[in-house]
Amino acid sequence: MKSVITTVISAADAAGRFPSSSDLESVQGNIQRAAARLEAAEKLADNHEAVVKEAGDACFGKYSYLKNEGEAGSTQEKVNKCYRDLDHYMRLVNYSLVVGGTGPLDEWAVAGAREVYRTLNLPTAAYVAAFIFTRDRLCVPRDMSAQAGVEYVSALDYIINSLS
């Protein structure tokens, strides 16, 4: 799984060199933010059901037409699949916080996601709206510390930008 550490080591190895001082500074910064990332991951794990439900509710609130006949949420089964997908993405956000890189999102969410959604006629804008709601709903210090919030928002911004 790709993280800052594995990326730095792989790049240096591919170039046939030792990691440079700037490479090591990047790793050091990643390690210094580890406690904040783990706090964010823990808070997300503790509240993931509520986070997913609120995100899905916000998505269907903003795009109520999705529940119309023939749309992505026209049956309860399809609505449940949307919530399942949001849960999957939030688990990947959690994994990314734990490893300190975007590897889980890159490998299991971003790669090919837009093509799959286009093929199935599922709007990525609805998912993006759910993640924007989740990002904007964060309240520091109620939900987590300021630094943990920065790490959490960064992971959400990454998925938002990737699906936009």
Side-chain angles (χ1 to χ4, degrees):
M1 187 169 305
K2 186 171 75 170
S3 70
V4 171
I5 297 168
T6 58
T7 300
V8 165
I9 291 170
S10 296
D13 188 49
R17 62 174 175 79
F18 286 97
S20 67
S21 59
S22 65
D23 291 337
L24 296 176
E25 286 174 14
S26 175
V27 170
Q28 184 179 18
N30 184 274
I31 291 169
Q32 289 171 342
R33 294 187 320 274
R37 286 194 320 274
L38 292 177
E39 177 193 343
E42 181 180 7
K43 299 291 183 172
L44 177 57
D46 289 346
N47 298 298
H48 82 276
E49 288 176 10
V51 170
V52 168
K53 179 165 181 354
E54 288 178 0
D57 292 349
C59 168
F60 284 111
K62 181 171 183 173
Y63 297 102
S64 57
Y65 75 89
L66 289 174
K67 291 193 175 185
N68 294 343
E69 187 63 35
E71 294 292 340
S74 60
T75 66
Q76 189 58 48
E77 181 182 5
K78 289 180 178 181
V79 169
N80 291 344
K81 287 180 180 179
C82 290
Y83 282 93
R84 178 205 60 201
D85 290 352
L86 289 170
D87 182 72
H88 176 72
Y89 279 117
M90 293 311 295
R91 280 188 288 121
L92 295 176
V93 165
N94 184 279
Y95 300 164
S96 292
L97 290 166
V98 171
V99 301
T102 61
L105 286 166
D106 291 333
E107 294 171 25
W108 298 322
V110 174
R114 281 195 274 181
E115 290 76 17
V116 169
Y117 289 140
R118 274 192 211 114
T119 301
L120 297 175
N121 196 30
L122 298 172
T124 57
Y127 289 105
V128 169
F131 299 127
I132 289 171
F133 171 85
T134 302
R135 179 196 65 198
D136 294 348
R137 187 205 174 284
L138 177 67
C139 179
V140 171
R142 178 195 66 196
D143 299 325
M144 60 187 69
S145 71
Q147 188 58 45
V150 167
E151 299 296 330
Y152 179 63
V153 166
S154 293
L156 287 170
D157 281 341
Y158 185 80
I159 195 71
I160 289 165
N161 292 330
S162 297
L163 293 177
S164 294

